[in-house]
Amino acid sequence: MSALVEAKGLTKHFRIGRGQIVHAVDDMSLDIHEREIVGLVGESGSGKSTFGKALLGLHDKTAGKVRFDGETLPGRYRPADFQRYASRMQMIFQDPYSSLNPRMTVGEIIGEGLRLHSDLSGAEIRERVHDWLRRVGLEPDHASRYPHEFSGGQRQRVGIARALIMQPQFVVCDEPISALDVSVQAQIVRLLGELKSSMGLTMLFIAHDLSMVRYVSDRMAVMYLGSLIEVGVSDDVFFRPKHPYTELLIGSNPQPDPRIERGRETVAIEGEIPSPVNVGAGCRFAGRCPKVMSVCRTDTPPLFKVRDETGERRVACHLYADGGDTAPSGVQGNGGSNGGGV
Amino acid sequence: MSERTVRDGGAPLPGNPRGDASPDRRDGGDSDIAPQRHDEPALLAVDDLHVEFDTYGGVVKAVRGVSFSVRPGKTLAIVGESGCGKSVTVQSIMGLIPMPPGRITSGTAMLDGIDVIHQKVVEGEDIRGSRIGMIFQDPMSSMNPTMTVGDQIAETLEVHRGYTRSQAYARAVELLGMTHIPEPAERAKQYPFVFSGGMLQRAIIAMAIACEPDILIADEPTTALDVTIQAQILDLLDELQATTGMAIILITHNLGVVARLADDVAVMYAGQIVEKGSSEELFHQCAHPYTLGLRAAMPGNDPHREQGLQAIEGTPPDMFDPPRGCSYFARCPHAMRLCEDRLPERFEVSPHHYASCWLQHPASPVEVPGLYRGEGEAA
């Protein structure tokens, strides 16, 4: 399996005046293989969305490279670059209310990409729009309606049709279900899954719902304060987290079962995610980490390769400097305590 | 009402030896796990609440005959999707429904012999904010941005308890400490915008418990927060309940949060409670297809994800013209002809566990044996 999207040292800083710099994404390297769904999790402010947008050129890159299908993408997109890549890389946005132009009909919204990037005639575009409305579970005669006439779940379907009508190879889904009700979330996730397998899509699925990300994705990547801190096969990361932050993050995720919830000890992380302004050296989680060592405060840990049951795992933590062979046995999953021992 | 139900015939929790022994309380130190505890008198009893709103499109029947009770010192979770009427229900209790366009057409909420819906002021004391505290979903918009956090909490105590300014302020700092805000004296002097979302939610909890209410209503208290901060806030609510003995009404759509905090659960759909019972019963022996559907729509923690995520197809009914029969009829995978025409009456599935569904109703002409059998095995 080859990597379709390769981020190497991708960095995005924002200047906020007075010489202050927000380190939104710092030196992030992540490969996304063809026909794979990588789930990206982390707290708000950890840089998940910025990373996703930087991959697609919606943010200029401060440093680092993104390779897509063998080509290196430009650090700063020009209109011609958008023209060139828009049909191959698409994004599905979080908020189905603000991501659709309220003054365009649903048909215009879905067909706009084809109008700009293809030579199809109006009639052909209309036909494809109708076809896609059906594929996402809407009716062709919805094309003449406006976004406000639809519910949140239906709008998200429009957003999906808008992105996928371009037949992209790679899609970034930025929290596509966070704004939706539980029963509708499942509908959208299933729809994405069906389209993924029928179209052979590669996806970056950004979300903060850990259970859902584990369900959806093949591999899971965890970000903290702009850095990638752990990546591996979803079930491995979810049931046997290695980085102390991942462990605490997954332990904080309440399970829909009172027997588990009432029986377990609380694992709430002390404190809150610090500000990403002017970050210094050392591990970024050091200030909150229950297993902090002196080296953590001075040296930024690289991604160490750790042996794993079902696939490769990389963990940015000094505890795993030697491949995890001597990692303390205390590092084991909270989330998986209910039968993760598969 | 008859005890007979179809499911009672089957093994309650096949293959799960922990089934009966599993205590449904979070603190093992408390020995109060007798099953009779449901019979203690209710602290707050809501009966047959109906709320409507006038809109341009017509009258929205947001709440249609909701009844529930809250036990002292326990947590009742009201679960449901957006628009099911869960927030409107608690807002009616708090007197927060704007009238017009809102209208409470019938119903009572009895707290210690006082109907809080129709009689908000008793002997000069406003029940709202004093006997019942409330916290909201969005911490940022729940505070006055032009007052310091300390002053806002103190104001509550001046209004409801007649404290002097300095007494009230000192107590406000104490309350901030109780909610584990570091350096409470310093933080009390700050304005809300300085606080992070999690810290602000703590401050709002401090304000809501300032008057030592009997009941704390928490309307989606963690929805706007990250999962790690959510865990902290849930721990805090748990701890405060243990120390103050207050009851909590928790409004949420997150079943994980329900499992974490709730003693009792009421599931709402289209303005009605379709099922209620203990948390244990509702998660492991639910009787209403909607409750089952909600659970199946959330990815659990079981390692075999092939079992899949079951979406509930369709959307909730139009509340301008709610269906004549069961409101879940159009989406229910087990719907019968009867369900379309006749509103299901509430029946007792097992002691203190009620459902409004014809499937297992004793008076229902159709039996579907073993429909939910094996449900408990998924865990």
Side-chain angles (χ1 to χ4, degrees), chain A residues 154-212:
Chain A
Q154 287 174 319
R155 285 181 214 212
Q156 199 54 283
R157 290 172 193 270
V158 172
I160 291 170
R162 184 200 62 75
L164 298 190
I165 197 167
M166 302 303 294
Q167 307 275 358
Q169 287 165 276
F170 177 56
V171 184
V172 173
C173 304
D174 187 5
E175 307 251 13
I177 53 171
S178 310
L180 307 175
D181 265 319
V182 175
S183 69
V184 182
Q185 286 187 351
Q187 292 175 7
I188 297 297
V189 162
R190 287 183 58 165
L191 174 66
L192 282 172
E194 283 159 24
L195 293 170
K196 186 244 167 192
S197 33
S198 66
M199 299 173 70
L201 288 173
T202 305
M203 276 192 210
L204 181 69
F205 189 90
I206 300 170
H208 61 256
D209 181 341
L210 294 156
S211 309
M212 196 58 100

Side-chain angles (χ1 to χ4, degrees), chain A residues 294-306:
Chain A
S294 55
V295 62
C296 306
R297 302 198 191 273
T298 52
D299 297 355
T300 308
L303 277 172
F304 294 109
K305 207 167 173 177
V306 179

